[in-house]
Amino acid sequence: MIKITVSASKKYDVIMEQNALNKAAELLSQAEIKSDRKLCIITDKTVNSFYGKESGILWQNLSQAGFRLYKYVFEGGESNKTMSTVTAILDYLADNKFSRSDALIALGGGIVGDVTGFSAASFLRGIDYIQIPTTLLATVDSSVGGKTGVNLKAGKNLAGAFWQPSLVIFDPQVLQSLPQHMILDGIAETIKAGFINDKTIIDEAENNISIGDNRFLTQLAAKAVEVKRKVVEEDERDNGSRQLLNFGHTLAHAIEKCSNYRISHGHAVAKGMAIVSAAADEMAWTSVPCAGKILEILKKFNFPLDCPYSPSQLTEAALQDKKIRGNKITLVIPESIGKCRLKTIATDDLEEFITCGMDALKGM
Amino acid sequence: MIKITVSASKKYDVIMEQNALNKAAELLSQAEIKSDRKLCIITDKTVNSFYGKESGILWQNLSQAGFRLYKYVFEGGESNKTMSTVTAILDYLADNKFSRSDALIALGGGIVGDVTGFSAASFLRGIDYIQIPTTLLATVDSSVGGKTGVNLKAGKNLAGAFWQPSLVIFDPQVLQSLPQHMILDGIAETIKAGFINDKTIIDEAENNISIGDNRFLTQLAAKAVEVKRKVVEEDERDNGSRQLLNFGHTLAHAIEKCSNYRISHGHAVAKGMAIVSAAADEMAWTSVPCAGKILEILKKFNFPLDCPYSPSQLTEAALQDKKIRGNKITLVIPESIGKCRLKTIATDDLEEFITCGMDALKGM
């Protein structure tokens, strides 16, 4: 068992253990979530069919321990990550007389986690919730750190709350049900954590590319969560150093948007890291050249690094980002392998920066 | 000028000053809300016609100072205190590219304040907002303390957030536009604060019942806000002593509900305080008899203290309250004039308690 304790505004454990779902009640009890509570499992249709069923391991384990279980299943996908889904969940909880001492379980990927977390933050002005991520991406990214939220018409994640979970449980067994491209999505974020703050992730990924090996993936994921823990503890509300986690993300969000979300998040992050690191080398903003190594790793995992959009298309999409204040934009720039820093540039200079990166990539 | 500084999770001032609306920009600037920001005034149709107009004092003052002003006006009333109103506000802010450094102004009564506060808490995971209450009730009650929220189908205030404002501005001038019964609503909460924690409010109210005197009302309101400040600083998230603010409220919420919200909040609180204090005296839970004095004050202000609902109707409505955990309910009981305490009873005993209070009232 791997246990990482996050000391944010709330203190909680991230538990990573093979077959952890079989002992969920015990883990909840250790996190002071006792079995006299009501629990509502919130999940989407796909994950429900794998891990949400009343006959399944999780439900059986929790109900045998005495928890009064409820379940709310919604249609998955970005188009349902909305205020109306949250409203429907809140109505469901109120109709079933959930109180401040009851709790929610987010069972699923990042969308389920974000929607459930925001519902937990908003119901009765805040109740507990537990993250049980069922993708590698959610495990290393959204399940830890308390950023919750939904999309608005104008863009992604524009509404939400900072609301930390009471516990995160990752059972590597869930990786068995993931197609390879979804494993890769998680690997992109894992490698990203390495580039930001932990060179050993890069070293290990370099020597071992067995993406079907759960033990290997769990070890890398734990290191990525450790990077996230440090950053979140330092800057929970994302006013400074937490922005380092956005390495590759300004461009990733733009690429996702331009593709109408046909390019998945992790794959877009891989492309984004490639472009940014190539541009940063060109601009001589890195202390040592970084793009070569970054591309080498990404290619080892067979990430397609082509970008079908022009710098002007990407710039336009990027400048709609919610984080832009005034006429400046903060980028995450690699300094060396395992270290990134924030650099603020004028929004007017963004297109030139992207062009420079994309041009440099062509020759690599 | 009266200034009360609230040191909650965020530190902010409550400013009470005749004609404060004429110097709103200056007050915002002192609260570090600078004029390079966008501001969105959120208000309802009625208040908009009094204080929200582009030609009005507030708008003129803020726009002349350089703020970029926006306005969102919604249909007032409990039936619009909903997730859909919040969603519409969030969409409006996103469409107008509000950023994390911009802010909202809640201009109105409690409903406007609660809806605006929850919108501010949720937009981009939290932006600043300023409360400008335009009723006495909102001034002494909802504008201070950061409880924000909306109703769900199943009941009032079931969704929301704890999110403190950055500044509260009360201009007593706004009282001119209030009908007498709305002034009384505010007086009920003001007197309540006195009964909880400040006997001088009761003494002053006893000697001076001129509800048309703004200076008198402002002084009493300041004392009530001071009581609220202390309680909120001690227990911001309402897990303990903040519940003292609910004196009379368990019954008030039940009475409002039974009346289908035709009996207003302050008037219901007056009735609730009368029943609870009569019952507490009967049960010998007070250290000195309190009901006599409490009734005397309420009658001086001509609060109608009859209750048209039976103990069983009130009990049923009260037990739907969100604060009930398990089979217990926490009541606020007067101990002496100017001091209340929490007392938890079995929900099974609530009807007897209410019956006892209503019976005792008949003979008073």
Side-chain angles (χ1 to χ4, degrees):
Chain A
M1 187 182 90
I2 299 170
K3 177 162 106 175
I4 297 169
T5 303
V6 182
S7 296
S9 54
K10 173 180 246 168
K11 193 169 176 175
Y12 57 97
D13 293 330
V14 181
I15 304 290
M16 304 177 126
E17 185 176 12
Q18 187 73 19
N19 298 320
L21 292 188
N22 306 30
K23 50 183 261 193
E26 187 189 329
L27 296 171
L28 263 66
S29 159
Q30 284 161 11
E32 297 298 324
I33 295 163
K34 303 299 183 190
S35 60
D36 57 349
R37 292 189 180 197
K38 287 184 189 172
L39 289 179
C40 183
I41 295 174
I42 298 181
T43 189
D44 65 26
K45 286 199 174 165
T46 312
V47 176
N48 183 47
S49 69
F50 282 105
Y51 308 108
K53 289 193 177 151
E54 282 77 348
S55 56
I57 286 168
L58 179 67
W59 188 284
Q60 286 297 316
N61 179 273
L62 292 171
S63 69
Q64 278 162 24
F67 285 104
R68 280 165 294 159
L69 294 183
Y70 295 76
K71 187 164 67 174
Y72 187 90
V73 183
F74 66 100
E75 198 75 54
E78 284 290 343
S79 62
N80 293 299
K81 189 179 169 182
T82 58
M83 290 293 284
S84 7
T85 300
V86 169
T87 305
I89 291 171
L90 297 176
D91 278 332
Y92 178 82
L93 298 172
D95 289 344
N96 287 290
K97 296 188 183 298
F98 268 59
S99 77
R100 287 190 184 166
S101 49
D102 299 322
L104 311 185
I105 291 182
L107 177 71
I111 292 173
V112 167
D114 284 4
V115 164
T116 306
F118 187 35
S119 301
S122 302
F123 188 66
L124 305 181
R125 301 197 185 95
I127 64 172
D128 289 341
Y129 74 113
I130 297 105
Q131 289 273 15
I132 305 187
T134 59
T135 66
L136 185 61
L137 180 59
T139 303
V140 299
D141 190 17
S142 57
S143 70
V144 177
K147 272 196 186 181
T148 73
V150 297
N151 307 327
L152 296 177
K153 281 180 209 144
K156 278 183 72 174
N157 297 328
L158 295 178
F162 287 96
W163 192 247
Q164 301 292 340
S166 300
L167 177 67
V168 182
I169 301 173
F170 172 59
D171 182 346
Q173 197 60 32
V174 302
L175 299 178
Q176 302 307 127
S177 56
L178 290 184
Q180 180 169 326
H181 74 94
M182 287 182 75
I183 299 277
L184 277 179
D185 279 334
I187 286 179
E189 287 283 355
T190 307
I191 295 176
K192 180 209 74 178
F195 289 134
I196 294 169
N197 204 263
D198 185 357
K199 191 171 174 299
T200 70
I201 293 178
I202 307 305
D203 296 339
E204 287 183 27
E206 230 180 337
N207 297 325
N208 187 341
I209 55 162
S210 47
I211 69 169
D213 176 350
N214 279 1
R215 182 173 299 197
F216 163 70
L217 289 177
T218 306
Q219 278 166 358
L220 279 198
K223 283 172 178 271
V225 168
E226 184 58 26
V227 168
K228 185 146 194 189
R229 179 194 66 74
K230 274 187 270 179
V231 173
V232 167
E233 287 182 359
E234 215 175 272
D235 175 29
E236 183 171 352
R237 286 195 164 261
D238 201 15
N239 295 311
S241 58
R242 185 165 179 168
Q243 293 175 46
L244 286 171
L245 295 171
N246 291 331
F247 178 43
H249 277 57
T250 299
L251 275 158
H253 290 150
I255 291 168
E256 286 177 83
K257 199 160 192 167
C258 288
S259 80
N260 218 355
Y261 299 98
R262 274 175 295 107
I263 298 179
S264 66
H265 182 62
H267 284 70
V269 168
K271 292 179 203 293
M273 292 191 291
I275 298 172
V276 170
S277 56
D281 276 358
E282 281 298 305
M283 300 281 197
W285 288 347
T286 53
S287 8
V288 292
C290 294
K293 173 62 90 182
I294 288 174
L295 287 177
E296 187 190 323
I297 304 282
L298 292 171
K299 284 177 180 167
K300 269 208 169 164
F301 286 99
N302 291 320
F303 281 106
L305 298 178
D306 61 304
C307 176
Y309 311 105
S310 69
S312 75
Q313 286 173 308
L314 294 176
T315 304
E316 196 194 330
L319 291 182
Q320 290 169 16
D321 194 280
K322 67 174 178 292
K323 294 202 186 81
I324 295 175
R325 306 186 185 195
N327 49 8
K328 305 209 157 162
I329 183 166
T330 300
L331 298 173
V332 185
I333 301 289
E335 207 164 77
S336 57
I337 298 301
K339 192 166 176 212
C340 284
R341 68 187 166 93
L342 301 178
K343 183 167 175 69
T344 300
I345 66 169
T347 49
D348 285 347
D349 294 337
L350 182 63
E351 187 170 339
E352 189 195 337
F353 177 81
I354 296 175
T355 307
C356 170
M358 288 177 74
D359 285 350
L361 270 185
K362 282 177 199 149
M364 294 183 84
Chain B
M1 187 182 90
I2 297 169
K3 177 162 106 173
I4 296 169
T5 303
V6 182
S7 296
S9 54
K10 172 181 246 169
K11 193 170 176 174
Y12 58 96
D13 293 330
V14 180
I15 304 290
M16 304 177 127
E17 185 176 12
Q18 188 72 21
N19 297 321
L21 292 187
N22 305 30
K23 50 184 262 193
E26 187 189 328
L27 296 172
L28 263 66
S29 157
Q30 283 161 12
E32 297 299 324
I33 296 163
K34 302 298 183 193
S35 59
D36 57 350
R37 293 189 179 194
K38 288 184 189 172
L39 289 179
C40 183
I41 295 174
I42 298 181
T43 189
D44 66 25
K45 285 198 172 165
T46 311
V47 176
N48 183 47
S49 70
F50 282 105
Y51 309 109
K53 288 192 177 151
E54 282 78 349
S55 56
I57 285 167
L58 179 66
W59 187 285
Q60 286 297 315
N61 178 274
L62 293 171
S63 70
Q64 277 162 25
F67 286 103
R68 281 165 293 158
L69 294 183
Y70 295 76
K71 186 165 66 174
Y72 187 90
V73 182
F74 66 100
E75 199 74 54
E78 284 291 343
S79 62
N80 293 299
K81 189 177 169 182
T82 59
M83 290 293 287
S84 7
T85 300
V86 169
T87 305
I89 291 171
L90 297 176
D91 279 331
Y92 177 83
L93 298 172
D95 289 345
N96 287 291
K97 296 188 184 297
F98 268 59
S99 78
R100 287 189 184 166
S101 50
D102 298 324
L104 311 185
I105 291 182
L107 178 69
I111 292 173
V112 167
D114 284 4
V115 163
T116 306
F118 187 35
S119 302
S122 303
F123 188 66
L124 305 180
R125 300 196 186 94
I127 65 172
D128 290 340
Y129 74 113
I130 297 105
Q131 289 273 16
I132 306 188
T134 59
T135 66
L136 184 60
L137 179 60
T139 303
V140 298
D141 190 18
S142 57
S143 70
V144 177
K147 271 197 187 179
T148 73
V150 297
N151 306 328
L152 295 177
K153 282 180 208 143
K156 279 183 72 174
N157 297 327
L158 296 178
F162 287 96
W163 193 246
Q164 301 292 340
S166 300
L167 176 67
V168 182
I169 302 173
F170 172 60
D171 181 346
Q173 197 60 34
V174 303
L175 299 178
Q176 301 307 125
S177 56
L178 290 185
Q180 181 170 326
H181 73 94
M182 289 183 72
I183 300 277
L184 276 180
D185 279 333
I187 286 179
E189 286 283 357
T190 307
I191 294 175
K192 180 209 73 178
F195 289 136
I196 295 169
N197 204 264
D198 185 356
K199 190 170 175 299
T200 69
I201 293 178
I202 308 304
D203 297 339
E204 287 183 27
E206 231 181 337
N207 297 324
N208 187 340
I209 55 163
S210 47
I211 70 170
D213 177 350
N214 279 1
R215 181 173 300 197
F216 163 68
L217 290 176
T218 306
Q219 277 165 358
L220 279 198
K223 282 171 177 274
V225 168
E226 183 59 27
V227 168
K228 184 145 196 191
R229 177 193 68 72
K230 274 187 269 178
V231 173
V232 167
E233 288 181 0
E234 216 174 272
D235 174 29
E236 183 171 351
R237 285 193 166 262
D238 202 14
N239 295 311
S241 59
R242 186 165 179 168
Q243 293 175 46
L244 286 172
L245 295 171
N246 291 330
F247 179 42
H249 277 59
T250 298
L251 276 159
H253 290 150
I255 291 168
E256 286 176 83
K257 200 161 192 168
C258 288
S259 81
N260 218 355
Y261 298 99
R262 272 175 296 108
I263 297 179
S264 67
H265 182 63
H267 283 70
V269 168
K271 292 179 203 291
M273 293 191 290
I275 297 172
V276 169
S277 56
D281 276 358
E282 282 298 306
M283 300 281 198
W285 288 349
T286 53
S287 10
V288 291
C290 291
K293 174 62 91 181
I294 289 175
L295 288 176
E296 186 190 323
I297 305 283
L298 292 171
K299 285 177 179 167
K300 268 207 172 165
F301 286 100
N302 290 319
F303 281 106
L305 296 179
D306 60 303
C307 175
Y309 311 106
S310 70
S312 75
Q313 286 174 308
L314 294 177
T315 304
E316 195 194 329
L319 291 182
Q320 291 171 14
D321 195 280
K322 67 174 178 292
K323 292 198 188 85
I324 294 176
R325 305 187 186 194
N327 49 7
K328 305 208 159 163
I329 183 166
T330 300
L331 298 173
V332 185
I333 301 289
E335 208 164 77
S336 58
I337 297 302
K339 192 166 176 211
C340 284
R341 68 186 167 93
L342 301 178
K343 182 169 176 66
T344 300
I345 66 169
T347 48
D348 285 346
D349 296 337
L350 183 62
E351 188 169 338
E352 189 196 336
F353 177 81
I354 297 175
T355 308
C356 170
M358 288 177 75
D359 285 349
L361 271 185
K362 282 177 198 148
M364 296 184 83

